[in-house]
Structure formats: C-alpha cells, structure tokens
Amino acid sequence: MATDVHQHIWTPGFAAALRDRDTPPFLDGWTLHLDGEQPYETDPRDHDVERRRALDADLDLALVSLSSPLGIEHLPPHEAWPLLDAYHDGALELPAPFGAWAGTCVTEIDPTRTAAALDRGFAGLQLPATSVGDAEGLERAAPLLDLLEKRDLPLFVHPGPARTPGAPAWWAAVVPYVQQMHAAWYAFQAFGRPRHPRLRVCFALLAGLAPLHTERFIARGGSTRGVVDPGVFLETSSYGHQAIDAITRVTGIEVVVLGSDRPYASPAKTLLGAAAEQQMRCTNPARLLGATGTPATTSALSNEGAEPR
C-alpha cells in the first residue's frame, strides 16, 4: 500500500476554529498569524480536498498531521483542546486516501483524553519536537508514550513552533526546525528508548539529518557503534536524492519512509531505483504503522534486536 506519512490539510472546521481566535495562532481570512513570526498568506487551494486527492492519485494512504509549528499543542489546555477537537473532527471526515495522526496538548499531559482521541481511529500520535527534545520533555511525555506502547501505535515527531522575528521566510524551516528534530532524535536515543523499548517512532524531515552525525557521536563517546534501531523511522519531507542517499548509507533503506509535507513540499525524488522506492512508499510505512504484524523494536542502546550496518 503506497503511503505518504506526512501531509497537512486545514479542513473548514479547523480553519473556522482558528478564525474564532484573536491571539496567535489565528487566521484572518487566509492570513495566518503566529507568535514571533510575520503574517503568512496561505493559499486556500492548498487545502482543497478534491484538488489534493487528484495530486495524490498514486497513493493508497496519505496521513494528515496537525501543523505543530502553529503552537497549538503548547497552548494552555482550555485553548488547545478546542482547536485539537476541531482538527480531529475534520481529519476523520476526510475521504480516501486520507488518514491522520492524532494530536494532544503538551502543557498539561492528559493520557485519558489522548486515549479517547486515539480510540476514534487515528494512525498514531504526533508530538512537536519542542516537547521531546531533552530528558525533561520525554519524562513529561512518558505517559503518552506508555499509552502508545500499550496500544502498539507509533509516534510521529514533527517540528514545533519557532520564533523567527526579522528572519527570511525560509529561516524557520531550514534552521530551528532542523535543530529541533536533531535534538529530538538524540534525546529519544539517550532517554526515550531505554524507557520505551517497544515504541515505534517516526521523525519528520529525516530527523534534521541527525543520523549523519553518527561518526561525531561515536568520536565523542556514543555507544551504539553503528547499530540501527529498526523501530525508529525517518520520513523524507523537503529532501531529495542527495540527503536520502546519504541517510541510507548510515541507517539502511529499511527505516526510511515517504513523507512529502504537502502542500509545503512535493514528494521526494531519488535515484535509488524501483526496489528502494517500493520500500520507502510501501514496505517501510506498513512496518511503521504496524500493518505487517512486525514485532515492535527492542532497544538499540542494548544492541538487542537491531541490525548492524
């Protein structure tokens, strides 16, 4: 089943919920206002469901995710949950090929309410990288990760909000988003995996290319020694052949999955051949989502169940 694990669509209900606000994040028409960023003119055509279905005619499943840079998950619960509920309601009404990741509030962890959202049929849970980028963040999020392990559902880590006053329009995507994903990748390896040995995790935008720093990690005392965690996946959004090829030389192709980040980027194009494309589009996403019945991963830090490269 051809799958894109990372897309965004603002349904009418979700857009209306953003327009009901007068403090960031909010929409004024189709102008997006975020804390610490310049107003951004969104294109309503990007969120036209039928247009998007036509673009994704070659997919069997496209997983929609909450736009974590909006900062919704970091709002106080009384502000976050109405927006989350609007996102959940709209996402579940989307026609095929769309599915979705659930979202949750991270300022006040609520496993019960998160479980209720997951019960509605989401593929797994998305958390902003800004909430799991260090030991403290992972400790706070642990009840949510325990919930996912218990249900054999995956976690999707997505860039969170980035204050970029005065910066060029591309700055957030190229600098703080990458830094956030880099930190979340190594934080999970150091602090998350020992506590959550069976959790499957997918990091957006190739984890900010964090795996390419393995040599430096080892040189500075890291202990994995080239062992790959088969339960930690990397999606390809905003990258192309050069970066994907480099990542596969470190992790192998088996943990790389297609993620496009539509409407903000197009699906990755590589020169890796049909077999590799099949793995990234079909085989690996099925394993991430648990569709193959593959047992969940064991800890790479203990070198159990991982594959040497």
Side-chain angles (χ1 to χ4, degrees):
M1 184 166 71
T3 300
D4 181 341
V5 304
H6 180 190
Q7 296 200 7
H8 300 282
I9 292 180
W10 295 356
T11 61
F14 180 62
L18 286 171
R19 291 190 183 104
D20 283 343
R21 295 175 54 83
D22 57 11
T23 57
F26 71 93
L27 275 176
D28 180 4
W30 283 98
T31 303
L32 177 64
H33 296 261
L34 300 179
D35 187 24
E37 295 193 35
Q38 295 296 317
Y40 176 75
E41 295 296 328
T42 62
D43 188 340
R45 295 176 301 171
D46 289 340
H47 305 285
D48 181 283
V49 173
E50 292 307 314
R51 178 175 178 269
R52 292 285 297 278
R53 292 179 77 189
L55 289 173
D56 293 322
D58 61 334
L59 292 176
D60 299 297
L61 177 63
L63 290 180
V64 174
S65 88
L66 183 67
S67 299
S68 287
L70 299 183
I72 291 169
E73 298 99 321
H74 286 283
L75 292 171
H78 70 278
E79 294 188 53
W81 278 108
L83 292 170
L84 289 164
D85 290 341
Y87 160 73
H88 289 148
D89 291 345
L92 289 174
E93 292 173 357
L94 289 169
F98 298 109
W101 298 96
T104 193
C105 177
V106 299
T107 55
E108 186 175 298
I109 302 298
D110 190 339
T112 301
R113 193 159 185 175
T114 304
L118 290 169
D119 284 342
R120 300 178 66 187
F122 289 94
L125 178 66
Q126 174 180 310
L127 290 177
T130 41
S131 70
V132 290
D134 54 26
E136 181 180 358
L138 282 162
E139 180 65 26
R140 292 191 72 254
L144 301 176
L145 307 192
D146 290 339
L147 172 66
L148 292 173
E149 275 191 298
K150 182 178 180 180
R151 297 185 176 214
D152 194 28
L153 292 174
L155 170 68
F156 181 46
V157 181
H158 187 286
R163 292 179 57 85
T164 58
W170 51 262
W171 186 268
V174 177
V175 182
Y177 291 0
V178 170
Q179 293 168 337
Q180 292 173 18
M181 296 307 301
H182 185 117
W185 166 274
Y186 280 106
F188 183 77
Q189 180 173 307
F191 311 114
R193 178 52 89 206
R195 172 162 178 164
H196 306 282
R198 296 176 301 280
L199 182 64
R200 296 188 303 279
V201 186
C202 182
F203 289 86
L205 55 111
L206 296 178
L209 303 183
L212 298 186
H213 295 269
T214 294
E215 291 170 321
R216 182 172 177 83
F217 171 66
I218 292 172
R220 297 292 182 166
S223 59
T224 59
R225 300 294 173 187
V227 175
V228 174
D229 186 333
V232 175
F233 295 79
L234 302 132
E235 64 88 355
T236 58
S237 60
S238 300
Y239 287 103
H241 173 73
Q242 185 173 5
I244 296 169
D245 179 56
I247 286 288
T248 62
R249 293 175 186 272
V250 177
T251 66
I253 193 67
E254 295 86 356
V255 295
V256 179
V257 297
L258 173 66
S260 68
D261 199 22
R262 283 196 194 274
Y264 308 110
S266 299
K269 297 186 182 298
T270 75
L271 305 174
L272 299 177
E277 294 289 342
Q278 175 76 9
Q279 282 213 266
M280 290 189 295
R281 290 169 59 90
C282 301
T283 307
N284 300 343
R287 203 161 55 80
L288 166 66
L289 300 174
T292 61
T294 303
T297 182
T298 53
S299 174
L301 296 180
S302 64
N303 293 347
E304 294 173 1
E307 302 174 5
R309 295 286 170 204

